[in-house]
Amino acid sequence: MNIDSAAIERTVHAAVTRTKHEAGPLLEILHAVQNELGCVPAAAVTLIADSLNLSRAEVHGVVSFYHHFREQPAGSCVVKLCRAEACQAMNGDALASFATRHLGVEFGATRADGAVTLENVYCLGNCACAPSMTINGQLYGRANPKLLEELVSAVENA
Amino acid sequence: MSSGAAVTVYIPGDSSAISIGAHGVASQLELECRQRGRALRIIRNGSRGLYWLEPLLEVMTPAGRIAYGPVTKSDVASLIDAGMLEGAPHALCLGNIAEHPWLRSQQRLTGARLGVIDPTDIDDYVAHGGYAALSTALTMPPADIVRIVTDSGLRGRGGAAFPTGIKWQTVHDQQAAQKYIACNADEGDSGTFSDRMIMEGDPFALIEGMTIAGLAVGATQGYIYLRVEYPHAARALARALGIARERGYLGPDIRESGRSFDIAIRIGAGAYICGEETSMLESLEGRRGEVRVRPPLPAIKGLFGQPTVVNNVITLATVPVILARGAQFYRDFGVGKSRGTIPLQLAGNVKRGGLIERAFGLTVNELVYDYGGGSASGRPVRTVQIGGPLGAYLPESEFDTPLEYEALTAKNALLGHGGVVVFDDTVDMAHMARYALEFCAIESCGKCTPCRIGSTRGVELMDRLIAGRSGPSGEQRAELGLLDELCDTMLAGSLCGLGGMTPFPVRSAFRHFPEDFR
């Protein structure tokens, strides 16, 4: 998937302008870019580096440090499963194996058809209602294979 | 047309409650009431923390707030038919929520308003004691505010348990053109959610606490470093900050006192290490969240090189009640050097999970069985992990340990941020030890070798150990010896708690459950 370079320029410019009076604005700019474009493409890294008088390596170093930032667009349905202890204690690992089987994709990957991305997440703060997951940013507790199946197919059919 | 006086119904707008259907219940209730011509007012409160009963709905009646739960969308019609809007009995009726034994036995100081007030209504906050402390603080010399916090015995609730007053005193004593209050809202420990509950359910308490901290140390700018996994809390905080500003509780002239303080939210990006205070400061400055070498302490040279108070959400949200009711009132709760109350978070494989705020000293047994009711699966409880992914596992034989800092230290364990995760007897402790090392490898910032390399070597070692179980005992002994040495290296040689504390879950798993490693 290619993102239009004019859109990248516009987005970076807007984010840099909006945060120019703030100290240490890089993370905020990266959030703004990813919220708008779905990822932080390489072309954006160059533009951000130029605007902040940083090297490309410095900006890339920040993008790659944080699990949240992605350099490639995600699938149209992003499933994040909590893999931390409280969810493990409530059969989270079984739910995770079901997810890879049912969705046909490994953790940390996007399915070849671009429809589904499956990711690990470590704690959603929903530990008393474990296991937890998010689907396109929406949080679900007391998750189970049936719920996962229903919610993903609802997104796919939407 | 709606008829009669509107009935007030509380349905939590807390993200956990929403994750199990609270929005659906709210919209169903609206629909049913509209169809029946009943006037209705829904307030989206925070959660009281009785999560096994969520979505928990409360109807305001002359006899108090009558609760029903757990309510699903499909229960709503039958509840209304049974007279729920008048507080009538029903199979799901829990009676007056304030009288619920699970709540009544608690000592809610920090979380007193959770689930009680409307978190979007600053007048409701004030009506429940909010901003009384700030009014007092505005009339006090800064050093007196610091002294009250010191005298209260409050220690940092993020996990390190450093005396808050001493930290504040250090920042207070610095001469600097700019000082900061940095609130650590990067609540990443599995099994913890009390910060989230406060931010969603009583955000003004955090704002008030930060403002008082600013007055005490001479800081005019605050930052809340909030994890990206908490978008709902981000919205709740942003809304509350806007209201506080509008009403003059934040800004250049707080309540016409001539004093200035404001707060900005900064969103993290999914890095557990950014809950470590120096890594958080790096991240706030827009860099990779790599830990800083101390000294200098953040209190002397913190955010943007300026003196900075770094405190957890719960620590800051506890400041108002201390100022409002006095240091002595607060320190009268608790035991030994653990003064006040601790919001414990009970989670994982447990029947009745949620928020239990009590004076320090409740035992693990009381927490897991009296409050928790044992495992959710109905199987025997085998262990609890206390204090997040860097916390130790405790076997049932040590469940008589009181939950307070010193007693846990004596057991080679820690309280951390107060999360307790319950596991039943199906847990494989070698697997949990491996997970602790794997988590460290995933989240290591990479700055120091014991953590960066040690965690990965540890995962490989655990893989060999797990594959070799029930194999020749000599080889297993050699691997275990290596694991022990690796733990020593990580413990002594890491720059921060991530590498330095990963040995806690690993060693406790082996010490208490050696049979899982053979």
Side-chain angles (χ1 to χ4, degrees):
Chain A
M1 215 188 302
N2 276 323
I3 301 169
D4 170 25
S5 64
I8 297 176
E9 247 172 77
R10 208 166 46 240
T11 306
V12 170
H13 180 75
V16 169
T17 310
R18 195 160 40 82
T19 58
K20 72 175 172 214
H21 297 298
E22 285 169 18
L26 180 52
L27 249 72
E28 282 199 88
I29 293 171
L30 295 174
H31 275 302
V33 169
Q34 180 155 310
N35 288 345
E36 185 69 25
L37 304 175
C39 68
V40 183
V45 170
T46 311
L47 291 171
I48 294 167
D50 285 347
S51 330
L52 299 186
N53 200 21
L54 295 170
S55 71
R56 264 197 304 145
E58 281 170 296
V59 178
H60 174 76
V62 173
V63 173
S64 58
F65 182 87
Y66 294 97
H67 301 303
H68 176 73
F69 295 128
R70 52 176 96 249
E71 293 165 61
Q72 306 290 332
S76 36
C77 179
V78 180
V79 179
K80 295 188 185 189
L81 250 57
C82 178
R83 308 302 303 278
E85 290 91 339
C87 289
Q88 289 183 38
M90 288 300 279
N91 293 322
D93 284 352
L95 182 63
S97 332
F98 171 83
T100 51
R101 273 199 319 276
H102 176 71
L103 303 174
V105 62
E106 293 301 314
F107 277 91
T110 298
R111 203 163 69 196
D113 65 358
V116 182
T117 297
L118 179 61
E119 289 178 345
N120 296 314
V121 62
Y122 295 92
C123 200
L124 295 161
N126 200 26
C127 319
C129 302
S132 304
M133 62 182 178
T134 65
I135 294 180
N136 284 353
Q138 200 67 49
L139 177 65
Y140 296 94
R142 296 177 195 156
N144 54 59
K146 189 167 160 276
L147 183 68
L148 177 76
E149 207 174 329
E150 283 170 10
L151 292 167
V152 172
S153 72
V155 173
E156 281 176 332
N157 297 331
Chain B
M1 270 298 282
S2 294
S3 63
V7 179
T8 301
V9 177
Y10 290 83
I11 304 174
D14 165 276
S15 59
S16 259
I18 294 168
S19 86
I20 48 177
H23 275 345
V25 170
S27 53
Q28 190 66 28
L29 183 65
E30 268 176 348
L31 180 78
E32 297 280 350
C33 285
R34 202 159 49 237
Q35 283 171 352
R36 291 155 209 248
R38 291 292 303 258
L40 172 74
R41 175 174 172 243
I42 293 181
I43 293 176
R44 303 304 298 266
N45 54 337
S47 173
R48 294 181 188 255
L50 291 73
Y51 280 116
W52 82 100
L53 295 174
E54 292 286 1
L56 180 125
L57 182 157
E58 296 168 30
V59 182
M60 183 95 99
T61 76
R65 282 159 69 163
I66 306 300
Y68 300 82
V71 177
T72 63
K73 218 170 136 170
S74 52
D75 296 324
V76 173
S78 90
L79 279 163
I80 299 178
D81 290 342
M84 176 193 78
L85 297 175
E86 291 76 40
H90 183 276
L92 295 176
C93 185
L94 302 161
N96 185 334
I97 191 67
E99 300 298 317
H100 196 285
W102 205 85
L103 259 183
R104 215 177 47 174
S105 59
Q106 297 195 31
Q107 291 151 317
R108 293 237 170 143
L109 302 183
T110 309
R113 283 175 294 261
L114 281 178
V116 176
I117 64 162
D118 176 353
T120 66
D121 183 352
I122 199 166
D123 296 318
D124 206 7
Y125 178 69
V126 171
H128 286 81
Y131 280 123
L134 180 70
S135 305
T136 313
L138 283 168
T139 64
M140 288 166 69
D144 289 1
I145 305 176
V146 174
R147 190 168 315 116
I148 290 177
V149 173
T150 307
D151 291 347
S152 75
L154 178 67
R155 293 166 68 179
R157 298 286 188 256
F162 188 82
T164 305
I166 294 179
K167 192 182 274 186
W168 286 22
Q169 185 71 53
T170 309
V171 178
H172 170 271
D173 293 346
Q174 303 303 306
Q175 296 296 320
Q178 180 69 58
K179 299 178 186 178
Y180 295 105
I181 308 298
C183 169
N184 188 340
D186 196 45
E187 185 179 54
D189 289 354
S190 177
T192 66
F193 42 81
S194 58
D195 292 353
R196 181 187 60 69
M197 289 181 69
I198 287 285
M199 292 185 285
E200 293 177 355
D202 195 14
F204 295 112
L206 172 60
I207 296 170
E208 183 181 2
M210 287 181 72
T211 310
I212 294 169
L215 296 175
V217 304
T220 53
Q221 179 65 47
Y223 286 97
I224 300 173
Y225 184 83
L226 177 65
R227 62 200 302 255
V228 71
E229 292 84 352
Y230 284 1
H232 198 69
R235 288 187 289 271
L237 280 176
R239 193 171 46 217
L241 288 173
I243 296 168
R245 247 174 239 130
E246 206 174 283
R247 297 285 292 268
Y249 286 101
L250 284 175
D253 184 17
I254 298 167
R255 304 303 279 171
E256 296 167 357
S257 66
R259 311 286 293 276
S260 152
F261 189 74
D262 213 327
I263 300 172
I265 304 170
R266 289 286 178 273
I267 306 293
Y272 177 74
I273 190 60
C274 290
E276 194 282 334
E277 62 175 0
T278 63
S279 164
M280 183 190 88
L281 295 174
E282 285 291 303
S283 190
L284 270 173
E285 292 181 18
R287 285 193 291 273
R288 293 163 65 89
E290 289 181 358
V291 302
R292 294 178 183 173
V293 180
R294 275 167 295 199
L297 294 170
I300 292 164
K301 206 163 179 277
L303 188 61
F304 304 113
Q306 302 301 312
T308 305
V309 168
V310 182
N311 279 152
N312 166 259
V313 173
I314 295 294
T315 313
L316 288 161
T318 301
V319 166
V321 69
I322 291 172
L323 250 78
R325 305 189 69 172
Q328 192 59 44
F329 168 80
Y330 191 74
R331 69 171 306 123
D332 281 349
F333 292 87
V335 290
K337 290 180 187 165
S338 305
R339 309 311 314 178
T341 60
I342 173 87
L344 296 161
Q345 302 125 86
L346 185 59
N349 196 334
V350 66
K351 204 170 285 167
R352 298 191 293 264
L355 182 81
I356 297 111
E357 182 178 350
R358 287 277 303 238
F360 285 96
L362 190 73
T363 67
V364 180
N365 264 323
E366 290 169 316
L367 183 70
V368 170
Y369 294 107
D370 296 353
Y371 283 101
S375 75
S377 62
R379 302 185 62 93
V381 172
R382 190 170 187 218
T383 185
V384 294
Q385 185 180 28
I386 307 175
L390 308 174
Y393 289 96
L394 235 60
E396 230 211 341
S397 59
E398 294 189 359
F399 279 11
D400 57 348
T401 309
L403 290 155
E404 52 109 345
Y405 301 119
E406 275 68 32
L408 283 162
T409 306
K411 301 266 179 184
N412 285 312
L414 51 116
L415 186 52
H417 183 47
V420 177
V421 177
V422 182
F423 294 82
D424 72 12
D425 64 349
T426 61
V427 66
D428 175 349
M429 295 309 293
H431 174 82
M432 298 319 294
R434 184 197 180 280
Y435 171 77
L437 289 154
E438 184 191 21
F439 183 73
C440 180
I442 294 168
E443 299 296 341
S444 174
C445 82
K447 186 149 178 169
C448 71
T449 316
C451 173
R452 184 183 70 245
I453 308 284
S455 53
T456 300
R457 290 292 98 91
V459 173
E460 294 162 1
L461 222 158
M462 282 308 306
D463 281 339
R464 291 200 299 276
L465 233 154
I466 290 168
R469 281 193 290 202
S470 73
S473 60
E475 282 173 30
Q476 288 295 89
R477 261 203 305 277
E479 299 286 20
L480 283 169
L482 210 53
L483 183 66
D484 206 40
E485 275 181 42
L486 179 70
C487 283
D488 277 339
T489 305
M490 291 178 73
L491 197 91
S494 299
L495 268 179
C496 82
L498 180 53
M501 286 158 66
T502 295
F504 279 89
V506 176
R507 277 189 158 145
S508 58
F510 175 68
R511 191 169 56 244
H512 300 304
F513 308 96
E515 63 276 18
D516 286 19
F517 289 71
R518 290 189 197 112

